[in-house]
Amino acid sequence: KFEDARKIAAEFNKPDIPADRVAEAEASINQIRAALEAGKALTEQDKDYKYYAGEVLKRADELAAKLAARKIAIAATDGRAALTEAMTAAKAALTTAKVPEVTDADLAAAAKSLGAITKELDARTALEPKSAGYAMQATKTREALVGMNEALEFAKRVRDLSKQTVETLAAGIAAA
């Protein structure tokens, strides 16, 4: 039972464990620990087993550390992809918001897309100290977000002025 779990865990002792097999790797580590716990009585009776169990536990801990690092790397990759996707959508929405024929719905869509970026950043704040690559992209995204918010506010002001101009023209035409 123990050797089967150890063999399964050995399959995952690679730097690039596929994301879809992380749970399986965690389960095999837990099986190893459970098997060691079940054989705890033997450690007091057999010194060779005690040494063996200690070494296996060390390897299981090393594998768990590698797995934790891999989970962080996967989360960072997913986070960077989500930020890139959100930024692309926001840029497209802002481009639409900058045209002269912009509607209130276009402005609302642009505001919503900027809110989505903020949500993505907030959802993965805990990841920043763990992954330098993600932290750097998050910082760049925050900096870009400031400029995008300014562009949205400018587009809103342009829309308001356009509305006022049209209303004033309509009132002037009606009065004439």
Side-chain angles (χ1 to χ4, degrees):
K1 179 179 175 180
F2 173 74
E3 282 301 314
D4 292 340
R6 192 181 65 74
K7 286 178 185 174
I8 291 170
E11 291 178 31
F12 299 109
N13 198 6
K14 300 173 191 162
D16 291 332
I17 299 169
D20 59 335
R21 299 202 60 203
V22 169
E24 190 179 341
E26 286 178 325
S28 68
I29 291 170
N30 290 335
Q31 284 178 337
I32 290 171
R33 289 187 173 140
L36 287 174
E37 190 63 35
K40 199 168 196 169
L42 290 175
T43 59
E44 296 167 9
Q45 298 169 359
D46 187 353
K47 289 183 181 184
D48 289 337
Y49 180 77
K50 183 177 183 176
Y51 174 77
Y52 177 73
E55 288 299 310
V56 170
L57 186 59
K58 251 193 265 183
R59 300 299 168 260
D61 290 343
E62 289 171 4
L63 186 56
K66 287 180 185 178
L67 191 59
R70 179 68 182 139
K71 285 171 68 176
I72 290 170
I74 290 168
T77 300
D78 292 348
R80 284 194 301 269
L83 285 178
T84 301
E85 184 178 315
M87 285 292 288
T88 302
K91 286 177 182 175
L94 274 177
T95 300
T96 302
K98 291 178 183 178
V99 298
E101 304 84 26
V102 68
T103 64
D104 290 335
D106 293 335
L107 291 172
K112 186 176 179 181
S113 67
L114 293 181
I117 293 172
T118 303
K119 269 187 185 173
E120 285 295 333
L121 288 168
D122 291 345
R124 292 184 172 86
T125 302
L127 185 58
E128 291 182 44
K130 297 174 185 173
S131 172
Y134 176 78
M136 194 163 64
Q137 180 150 358
T139 300
K140 287 180 182 177
T141 301
R142 280 189 188 92
E143 290 169 359
L145 189 58
V146 170
M148 294 171 94
N149 276 320
E150 290 172 357
L152 178 61
E153 288 305 314
F154 183 74
K156 285 179 180 180
R157 280 188 254 132
V158 167
R159 172 74 176 139
D160 289 341
L161 288 173
S162 177
K163 274 183 179 176
Q164 288 174 357
T165 303
V166 169
E167 288 171 3
T168 304
L169 281 172
I173 291 172

